[in-house]
Amino acid sequence: MDVGFIGLGNMGQAMVANLLAAGHKVRVWNRSPEPLKVLVEKGAQSVASPSEAFAGEAVVSMLGDDAALQAVILESGALEQAKPGLVHVNMATISVAFARVLAHAHRKYNVAYVAAPVLGRPDVAAAAKLNILAAGPADQIARVQPLFDAMGQKTWSFGDDASRANAVKLAVNFMLCVAVEATAEAAALVEAYGVAAPDLIQLITNSAFPGPVYSSYGKLIAEDRYEPALFKANLGLKDIKLALEAAAAVQTTLPIGNVVRDALLQSQAAGDGEKDMAVLGRLARQRAGRE
Amino acid sequence: MDVGFIGLGNMGQAMVANLLAAGHKVRVWNRSPEPLKVLVEKGAQSVASPSEAFAGEAVVSMLGDDAALQAVILESGALEQAKPGLVHVNMATISVAFARVLAHAHRKYNVAYVAAPVLGRPDVAAAAKLNILAAGPADQIARVQPLFDAMGQKTWSFGDDASRANAVKLAVNFMLCVAVEATAEAAALVEAYGVAAPDLIQLITNSAFPGPVYSSYGKLIAEDRYEPALFKANLGLKDIKLALEAAAAVQTTLPIGNVVRDALLQSQAAGDGEKDMAVLGRLARQRAGRE
Amino acid sequence: MDVGFIGLGNMGQAMVANLLAAGHKVRVWNRSPEPLKVLVEKGAQSVASPSEAFAGEAVVSMLGDDAALQAVILESGALEQAKPGLVHVNMATISVAFARVLAHAHRKYNVAYVAAPVLGRPDVAAAAKLNILAAGPADQIARVQPLFDAMGQKTWSFGDDASRANAVKLAVNFMLCVAVEATAEAAALVEAYGVAAPDLIQLITNSAFPGPVYSSYGKLIAEDRYEPALFKANLGLKDIKLALEAAAAVQTTLPIGNVVRDALLQSQAAGDGEKDMAVLGRLARQRAGRE
Amino acid sequence: MDVGFIGLGNMGQAMVANLLAAGHKVRVWNRSPEPLKVLVEKGAQSVASPSEAFAGEAVVSMLGDDAALQAVILESGALEQAKPGLVHVNMATISVAFARVLAHAHRKYNVAYVAAPVLGRPDVAAAAKLNILAAGPADQIARVQPLFDAMGQKTWSFGDDASRANAVKLAVNFMLCVAVEATAEAAALVEAYGVAAPDLIQLITNSAFPGPVYSSYGKLIAEDRYEPALFKANLGLKDIKLALEAAAAVQTTLPIGNVVRDALLQSQAAGDGEKDMAVLGRLARQRAGRE
C-alpha cells in the first residue's frame, strides 16, 4: 500500500519500521528531521510537507496532542490537497472534543477518516504487538486493515463514530493510571506495617492482578525508582485530564479520576513530571510522612 | 494432624473438606449446626464447644469478623483452656487493631498465634487453590504448613508480626475494590459515547488487564447484573473500612479508598448491599443520569 | 462619562440603570433587543454594533462566558476600531486562560484593559452594592473608578495583571460552592439522626457561620426547595470548572473542588442544572438513600 | 444548685469559674490535681473521686474523648452510686456510637442524662458566651438551664434523643474544618497567580464570608503561622473522624469530609498535628510545590 506517515516519535518510528517490513511503501514526514535518516535507510521515502504525505492511498498520523494535529493536519492545508479517495488514520490519543473537530474537517474536504489509537508502549510497537482501537466507516477500516496487521496484534472495532475509539482509549488509560495509584496506595499501607513493597507486588502479580500493568509499574514503585520512564507522569496527567473532560462533556463523573489527576498534578508540581508515573508511589509515601 | 476448625461458612466448609481429604483429623465447631452434617459424613468430628476444638495440635478459625472472634475465641474461655503447645491459625480478614488484641491475648495464655488470611472465594477454596498470607513465628508457620498445603496453592510469608498478614490482606482487598470501581467508571464513560460496555471489558481483559478480577466483575458490570453475588457490596464495604482504619492508624491515606468506601456506602443506602459489589457499575451509570 | 455597555442580562441591566442614575451617558448594546427598551426609557442610547459601544471614553462588558467575549469583543472587530484612549472594563467571570488571551489582544490594538469581575447577584447589583474585584493598570482603574462607584459598594484592587482579578473571583466562587456543598452534607448527616435541617441552619447562621451565603442557600436546603434559583447549578458548575482549570494551569490542586464539581455535574445529569445550586442538598439526601 | 464538675481542661476551668460566679456550689474532680487549686480559691470544693462529684443535684462532665468517659464515668462506679434524682450533663464532643452506650448505661442505673456539647473555644467559654447544643428529656434540660445560663449565651435544644446533640456538634465541626480547608485551597490558588493571601482573606471576610471562622483561621493561613493553636489539627482530625463514622453508621456520605480527613492525617504525618488546623494552608501550598 502507498501510505504516508506523519509523526515520528518513538512510537511512530517503530510503526513505520513494521510497515516497511511488511512491504508497504511509506512516505514519512516529521517536524524535526532527526528520525528520518534511519527510516530512509530502511526504505522509507522522506517527503517535504504534510501534503505530500497525503498523496498516496492512505496516511497515518501519530502526533503528540491536539495542538500538533491542529497545526500539521488542519492548518497545513494537507486536507484540502489530499489525494481523492485517500483515508487518514489518526492513531494518536486525542481529546474527544478535538476528535469531533477532526471528523468534521474531514467530512468538509471529503477525506475518509478513521480514528485508531493504540494500546502499547514503544517496545510493544517495535514488536508489532499493539492493540489497535479503531472507529470509523467499516469499509475504510477494512481498507487499512493490512496496515493495522503490520503494526499490531489485534484490531478492535468500535463502530462508525470515530470519537468512540478515543473514548475507549481514554477509558483504558484512565484505568491504567488508577491501577498505578492503587498500587502506590497499597504499597504505602503495607510498608507502614513493616511489609516490604516488593513482597506485596510479588503476591498480587501472582494472584489477583497478573499482567503487565501491575508488574511493570509495581516494580518501579517497589524499588522506588522512577527513571527511565515507561510512561511519563506528565503524559499520564495529560490523558487523565482528557478522560475527565471527555466524561464531563457527557455529564459523567470519574471520581477516582479526580484523585489520580490531583496526584499527578502534585507530582508535576514537585518536579517529577518527566519521571515515570509510578512516581505516584513516592507521593503516597510522602503523604504518610516518609521519604 | 489433629486440628480443630471453627467457623463453617462457605469458605470454612470447603477448607475442612480439603483438610479431611488430605488425611487430617478435624474437630469442627460452628455456632449454628447446619453445616456440620455434611462434614461429619466426610469424616469430621463434631465438638460441643470452641474449647474442645482447642484440644488438638492446632486449631484453625475462619470467622466472619472481629466481633465473632471476640465472642468465640476470647470470651468463650477457649484460649485459657487450650492444650499446651497448640497453635491457633486465624484465617479470617480482621482489623489490624483487633489483630493486635488477639496477638496480645495469645501471648497472655501462651498459645501460639499465626494470622493467615486468604485470597480466593469459595470456589477457589473448594479447589484448594487459595493463596494463603501468613505471618507469625516461623516455626509455627512451618508446623501448620501441611494444613496450608491441603487448603491452598501457595503460602506467602510476611514475617513474625501477625498484623502484617492482615495489613497485606486489607491492601489486596482494597485493590480489588478499586479495580471494580475503576471498571465501573470506565464503563460509564464509554457507554456515554455509545460504546457497549462488554466491548470495553473484552478489550481490557485481553490486553492490559488480564486475570480473574477484571473479567469476573467486569462481566457483571457489562451485563448490569449483580446477583448472585461473587463478593457482596456489604463485605466489600466492611473490608474497605478496615483498610481505611488500618491506614489512618499509621497516618497513611488511601485517597482512592475514600471514593470506593463512599460508593459502596451509597450502594448500601440504595438497598443494594447484598448484591455483588460490581453494583458499583449501576451507581456509576446513575451518577451519569442513566438507569 | 461617555461609556458603552455590552451584555444586558440581569446583572447588566441593573448595572446600566445605576450608571444612568449616577449621570453617566451610556451606549448600550445587546445581542437580543429585549432588554434595550426599558434602559432607553431610562436614558440609555441604543447602538447598533459592539464597535459603536467602543466609541466613548470607556466600555464595560458583562457577557456570559469566554465564547461570548470571543464573538462580541474579539471577532466583531470592535477592538480594532476602538476609539483611541478608550479603556475596556470586562466585568464577567471568565477563565484565566482567556483572560490572558484578552489582555494580549488589547495590547495588540493598544486598548487599555481592566478586569473587574464582581461579587453579588442581581439584587445586589440593583442596590449598587456589588463588590468589584479590579486588576489592570492603576491609572486606568482610577479613570473608571466613578463607574465602579456608581455600581458597587467597594472596589478591591489586585494589581496590574488582569488575570489576578479573575483568579480571585474564581477562588471566591469556589468557596461559595464549597459552602453550599458543606451545608448539604451537614444537613444530610443531622437529618439521619432525626434533627430537622432548619434547626441546623438556624444554629450555624447564628453562631459560627453568619452572613448571606449560609443563610440563603441554607434556607433552600432546609426547605428542600430549589426554585426560583439564586445561582443556578449550571453556573456553579461552570465556575468550579473554571476554578479547577485555573488551578491546574499553575500546578495547584483544589481537592474539595473536585467533589463539588462532580456533585454539580451529577445534578446536571439528573436534570437539575437550571435549579439553584443548593440542589446539592437534594443530592446529599439521595446519596443517603432518601428522597 | 449543688453541682459536680468532672474534667478541668481549659474549657472546664473556664466553665466552673462561671458556675461559681453565678452562685452555684461546685464539687470539682480531675484526674490530675493541677487545675484544682485556682478553682478552690474561687470557692469550688475539691472531691476525691468521680462518685463524690455525683452526689449533688447535677453533675457536668467535660472530658476529652470516649475513652476518658468510659474510664471516669462508666468504669469508676460513679453511675451506680449516683445520688437518686441526679442529672448528668455531658458537654464533651463524643462519638454518636458512644453517646448511645452512655444513654443506655444511664437508663440502666436510672440516672437522667443530657448531652450538651458546646460551640466555642476556651476564650468564648471564659466569656460565658458558649452556644450549648442540648438533647435529652425536656424536663431535665429545664432543670439544668440555670447552669447553661451561667456558662453560655444560648441553649439550642434538639429533642429527647441525646445522640442528636452529638450529631449536630459533629456536623458543625465538620463544617468548620471544611471552611478552613476551603480557605487553604483558595489561598493556594490565588497565590499561584500572584495575589497575596491576606488580600483574599480581607475580601472574603468583608463580603461573602463574615464571622469568626473565616477571619481567625484565614488570618493564620494568610500569615502562614500556625502556633499558638486555636484548634489543633489533631483535634480537628479527631472530630472529622467522628463525623465520618457517625455518617457511615447511618449510610450517609460526607465526600468533602474525606478530603479534609486525609489532609489533616497528612498534616499529622508531617509532624504538624499539634499546630493549628489552619496548617492545612501549609499543606495546600506544599501540594502546589511551594514551601
Side-chain angles (χ1 to χ4, degrees):
Chain A
M1 208 165 179
D2 179 352
V3 56
F5 201 107
I6 291 175
L8 300 170
N10 290 339
M11 292 296 288
Q13 293 175 47
M15 292 157 84
V16 168
N18 285 326
L19 288 173
L20 291 169
H24 297 286
K25 176 186 169 191
V26 190
R27 306 157 181 257
V28 292
W29 184 86
N30 197 55
R31 277 196 280 195
S32 65
E34 296 78 12
L36 295 170
K37 187 157 173 285
V38 173
L39 295 174
V40 168
E41 283 170 7
K42 290 182 179 169
Q45 176 191 354
S46 173
V47 296
S49 70
S51 294
E52 288 176 64
F54 272 74
E57 298 164 78
V59 65
V60 175
S61 62
M62 189 66 183
L63 293 160
D65 55 24
D66 291 9
L69 278 153
Q70 173 79 30
V72 173
I73 308 297
L74 297 187
E75 295 175 4
S76 68
L79 280 187
E80 288 93 317
Q81 304 163 32
K83 182 172 170 184
L86 169 139
V87 53
H88 174 205
V89 182
N90 174 23
M91 303 190 76
T93 301
I94 61 172
S95 72
V96 293
F98 190 66
R100 289 185 164 152
V101 170
L102 272 184
H104 177 79
H106 285 74
R107 276 195 301 277
K108 181 173 168 190
Y109 295 111
N110 211 20
V111 178
Y113 179 65
V114 169
V118 300
L119 302 185
R121 294 190 299 255
D123 56 329
V124 177
K129 294 285 189 193
L130 294 169
N131 277 283
I132 297 172
L133 319 183
D139 56 340
Q140 298 296 341
I141 292 177
R143 269 180 76 197
V144 295
Q145 190 64 52
L147 304 179
F148 292 160
D149 292 342
M151 295 184 287
Q153 63 171 300
K154 181 153 183 178
T155 304
W156 305 78
S157 290
F158 295 99
D160 274 8
D161 180 354
S163 72
R164 289 185 187 175
N166 295 98
V168 172
K169 174 65 197 285
L170 293 176
V172 176
N173 275 19
F174 156 77
M175 291 185 71
L176 184 68
C177 295
V178 170
V180 177
E181 171 66 15
T183 307
E185 296 184 12
L189 170 57
V190 301
E191 284 179 343
Y193 282 92
V195 176
D199 291 351
L200 174 73
I201 302 305
Q202 208 190 345
L203 169 67
I204 61 169
T205 55
N206 285 284
S207 56
F209 298 105
V213 171
Y214 290 96
S215 60
S216 59
Y217 297 102
K219 188 168 188 291
L220 301 183
I221 291 170
E223 298 176 354
D224 201 21
R225 182 177 58 79
Y226 308 108
E227 290 169 305
L230 300 174
F231 192 166
K232 290 180 181 180
N234 283 343
L235 295 180
L237 177 57
K238 186 197 114 192
D239 284 0
I240 206 95
K241 281 181 175 176
L242 291 178
L244 284 164
E245 280 169 25
V250 288
Q251 279 81 51
T252 299
T253 55
L254 299 177
I256 300 186
N258 292 326
V259 172
V260 178
R261 201 259 319 250
D262 276 11
L264 288 168
L265 205 46
Q266 214 176 318
S267 293
Q268 190 180 64
D272 287 338
E274 291 299 304
K275 297 201 176 75
D276 191 89
M277 72 168 165
V279 77
L280 292 171
R282 171 177 293 172
L283 192 64
R285 288 164 176 136
Q286 285 172 338
R287 281 196 304 262
R290 294 197 299 277
E291 298 218 347
Chain B
M1 206 166 180
D2 179 352
V3 57
F5 201 108
I6 290 175
L8 300 171
N10 290 338
M11 293 295 289
Q13 293 175 46
M15 292 156 83
V16 168
N18 285 326
L19 289 174
L20 291 169
H24 297 287
K25 176 185 169 191
V26 190
R27 307 156 181 258
V28 290
W29 184 86
N30 197 54
R31 277 197 280 196
S32 65
E34 296 78 12
L36 295 170
K37 187 156 173 287
V38 172
L39 294 175
V40 168
E41 283 169 7
K42 289 182 179 168
Q45 175 192 352
S46 173
V47 296
S49 69
S51 292
E52 288 175 63
F54 273 73
E57 296 163 79
V59 64
V60 175
S61 62
M62 190 65 184
L63 293 160
D65 55 23
D66 291 8
L69 277 154
Q70 173 80 29
V72 174
I73 307 297
L74 298 187
E75 295 175 3
S76 69
L79 280 188
E80 288 93 319
Q81 304 163 33
K83 180 171 170 186
L86 169 139
V87 54
H88 174 205
V89 181
N90 174 23
M91 303 189 77
T93 302
I94 61 173
S95 72
V96 292
F98 190 65
R100 289 184 165 153
V101 169
L102 272 184
H104 177 79
H106 284 74
R107 277 194 302 275
K108 181 174 168 190
Y109 295 111
N110 211 20
V111 178
Y113 179 67
V114 169
V118 300
L119 300 186
R121 294 189 300 253
D123 56 328
V124 178
K129 294 287 190 192
L130 294 169
N131 277 285
I132 297 172
L133 320 182
D139 56 339
Q140 298 296 341
I141 293 177
R143 270 179 74 197
V144 295
Q145 189 64 50
L147 304 178
F148 292 160
D149 291 343
M151 296 185 286
Q153 63 171 301
K154 181 152 184 181
T155 304
W156 306 79
S157 291
F158 294 100
D160 275 6
D161 179 354
S163 72
R164 288 185 187 176
N166 296 96
V168 172
K169 173 65 197 285
L170 293 176
V172 175
N173 275 19
F174 155 78
M175 291 185 73
L176 184 68
C177 295
V178 171
V180 177
E181 171 66 14
T183 307
E185 295 184 13
L189 170 57
V190 299
E191 283 180 343
Y193 281 92
V195 176
D199 291 352
L200 175 72
I201 303 303
Q202 208 189 345
L203 168 66
I204 61 169
T205 54
N206 285 283
S207 57
F209 298 106
V213 171
Y214 290 95
S215 60
S216 59
Y217 297 102
K219 188 169 188 291
L220 301 183
I221 290 169
E223 298 175 356
D224 201 20
R225 182 178 57 78
Y226 308 108
E227 290 169 304
L230 300 174
F231 192 166
K232 292 181 181 179
N234 283 343
L235 294 180
L237 177 57
K238 186 197 114 190
D239 284 0
I240 205 94
K241 280 181 176 177
L242 291 178
L244 285 163
E245 281 170 24
V250 288
Q251 278 83 50
T252 299
T253 55
L254 300 176
I256 301 186
N258 293 326
V259 172
V260 178
R261 202 259 319 252
D262 276 11
L264 287 167
L265 204 48
Q266 215 176 318
S267 293
Q268 189 181 65
D272 288 339
E274 292 299 304
K275 298 200 176 74
D276 192 88
M277 72 167 165
V279 78
L280 292 172
R282 171 176 293 171
L283 191 65
R285 288 164 177 136
Q286 284 173 338
R287 282 196 303 261
R290 296 197 297 276
E291 298 220 344
Chain C
M1 207 165 180
D2 179 353
V3 56
F5 201 108
I6 290 175
L8 300 171
N10 290 339
M11 293 295 289
Q13 292 174 49
M15 291 155 85
V16 168
N18 285 325
L19 288 173
L20 291 168
H24 297 286
K25 175 184 169 192
V26 190
R27 308 156 180 257
V28 290
W29 184 85
N30 197 54
R31 277 197 280 194
S32 66
E34 296 79 11
L36 295 170
K37 187 157 173 283
V38 173
L39 295 174
V40 168
E41 282 170 8
K42 289 184 179 167
Q45 175 192 354
S46 173
V47 295
S49 70
S51 293
E52 288 177 62
F54 273 73
E57 297 163 80
V59 63
V60 175
S61 62
M62 189 66 183
L63 291 160
D65 54 24
D66 291 8
L69 278 153
Q70 173 79 29
V72 174
I73 307 297
L74 298 187
E75 296 174 3
S76 68
L79 280 188
E80 289 92 318
Q81 303 164 33
K83 180 171 169 184
L86 169 140
V87 53
H88 174 205
V89 182
N90 174 23
M91 302 189 77
T93 301
I94 61 172
S95 71
V96 291
F98 190 66
R100 288 183 166 154
V101 170
L102 272 185
H104 177 79
H106 284 75
R107 275 194 301 277
K108 181 174 168 189
Y109 295 111
N110 211 19
V111 178
Y113 179 66
V114 170
V118 300
L119 301 185
R121 294 189 300 255
D123 56 329
V124 177
K129 293 286 190 193
L130 294 168
N131 277 285
I132 297 171
L133 319 184
D139 57 338
Q140 299 295 341
I141 292 177
R143 268 180 74 197
V144 295
Q145 190 64 50
L147 305 178
F148 291 160
D149 292 342
M151 296 185 286
Q153 62 172 302
K154 180 152 184 181
T155 303
W156 305 78
S157 291
F158 295 99
D160 274 7
D161 180 354
S163 72
R164 289 184 187 175
N166 295 97
V168 171
K169 174 66 197 286
L170 293 175
V172 174
N173 275 19
F174 155 78
M175 292 185 73
L176 183 67
C177 295
V178 171
V180 177
E181 171 67 13
T183 306
E185 295 185 12
L189 170 57
V190 300
E191 284 180 343
Y193 282 92
V195 176
D199 291 352
L200 175 72
I201 303 305
Q202 208 190 345
L203 168 67
I204 61 170
T205 54
N206 284 284
S207 56
F209 298 105
V213 171
Y214 291 95
S215 60
S216 60
Y217 297 101
K219 187 168 187 293
L220 300 183
I221 291 169
E223 298 176 355
D224 201 20
R225 182 178 57 78
Y226 308 108
E227 290 169 307
L230 300 173
F231 192 167
K232 292 180 181 179
N234 283 343
L235 295 180
L237 178 56
K238 187 197 113 191
D239 284 359
I240 205 96
K241 279 180 175 178
L242 292 177
L244 284 163
E245 280 169 26
V250 288
Q251 279 82 49
T252 299
T253 55
L254 300 177
I256 300 186
N258 292 327
V259 172
V260 177
R261 200 260 319 251
D262 276 10
L264 288 167
L265 205 48
Q266 214 176 319
S267 293
Q268 189 181 64
D272 287 339
E274 291 298 304
K275 298 202 175 74
D276 192 88
M277 72 166 165
V279 78
L280 292 172
R282 171 177 292 173
L283 192 65
R285 287 163 177 138
Q286 285 172 338
R287 281 195 305 260
R290 295 197 299 276
E291 296 219 346
Chain D
M1 208 167 179
D2 179 353
V3 55
F5 201 106
I6 290 175
L8 300 171
N10 290 339
M11 292 296 289
Q13 293 175 46
M15 292 156 83
V16 168
N18 285 326
L19 289 173
L20 291 168
H24 297 287
K25 176 186 168 191
V26 190
R27 306 156 181 259
V28 290
W29 184 86
N30 197 55
R31 278 196 280 193
S32 65
E34 296 77 12
L36 295 170
K37 187 156 174 285
V38 172
L39 295 174
V40 168
E41 283 171 7
K42 289 182 179 169
Q45 175 192 354
S46 173
V47 296
S49 70
S51 293
E52 288 176 63
F54 273 74
E57 296 163 79
V59 65
V60 175
S61 62
M62 190 65 183
L63 293 160
D65 54 24
D66 291 8
L69 277 153
Q70 174 79 28
V72 173
I73 308 295
L74 298 187
E75 296 174 3
S76 68
L79 280 188
E80 289 93 316
Q81 303 163 32
K83 181 173 172 183
L86 169 140
V87 54
H88 173 204
V89 182
N90 173 23
M91 303 189 77
T93 301
I94 61 173
S95 72
V96 292
F98 191 65
R100 287 184 165 153
V101 170
L102 272 184
H104 177 78
H106 284 75
R107 276 195 301 277
K108 181 175 170 189
Y109 295 111
N110 211 19
V111 178
Y113 179 66
V114 169
V118 300
L119 301 184
R121 294 190 299 254
D123 56 329
V124 177
K129 293 288 189 191
L130 294 169
N131 278 283
I132 296 171
L133 319 183
D139 56 340
Q140 299 295 341
I141 293 177
R143 267 179 76 196
V144 296
Q145 190 64 51
L147 304 179
F148 292 160
D149 292 343
M151 296 184 286
Q153 64 171 301
K154 181 151 184 181
T155 304
W156 305 79
S157 290
F158 295 99
D160 274 9
D161 180 354
S163 73
R164 289 185 187 174
N166 295 97
V168 172
K169 174 65 197 283
L170 293 176
V172 175
N173 274 19
F174 155 78
M175 293 185 70
L176 183 67
C177 294
V178 171
V180 177
E181 171 66 15
T183 307
E185 295 183 13
L189 170 56
V190 301
E191 283 179 345
Y193 282 92
V195 176
D199 291 351
L200 175 73
I201 303 304
Q202 207 190 346
L203 169 67
I204 61 170
T205 54
N206 284 284
S207 57
F209 299 105
V213 170
Y214 291 95
S215 60
S216 59
Y217 297 101
K219 187 169 188 291
L220 300 183
I221 291 169
E223 298 176 356
D224 200 21
R225 183 178 56 78
Y226 308 108
E227 289 169 306
L230 300 173
F231 192 167
K232 291 179 180 180
N234 283 342
L235 295 180
L237 177 57
K238 186 196 114 192
D239 283 0
I240 205 95
K241 280 181 174 177
L242 291 177
L244 284 163
E245 282 171 23
V250 288
Q251 278 82 49
T252 299
T253 55
L254 299 177
I256 301 185
N258 292 326
V259 172
V260 178
R261 201 260 318 250
D262 276 12
L264 287 167
L265 205 47
Q266 213 176 319
S267 293
Q268 190 181 62
D272 287 338
E274 291 298 305
K275 298 201 175 75
D276 192 88
M277 72 167 165
V279 78
L280 293 171
R282 171 177 293 173
L283 192 64
R285 287 165 178 137
Q286 284 173 338
R287 281 196 304 262
R290 295 198 298 277
E291 297 219 346

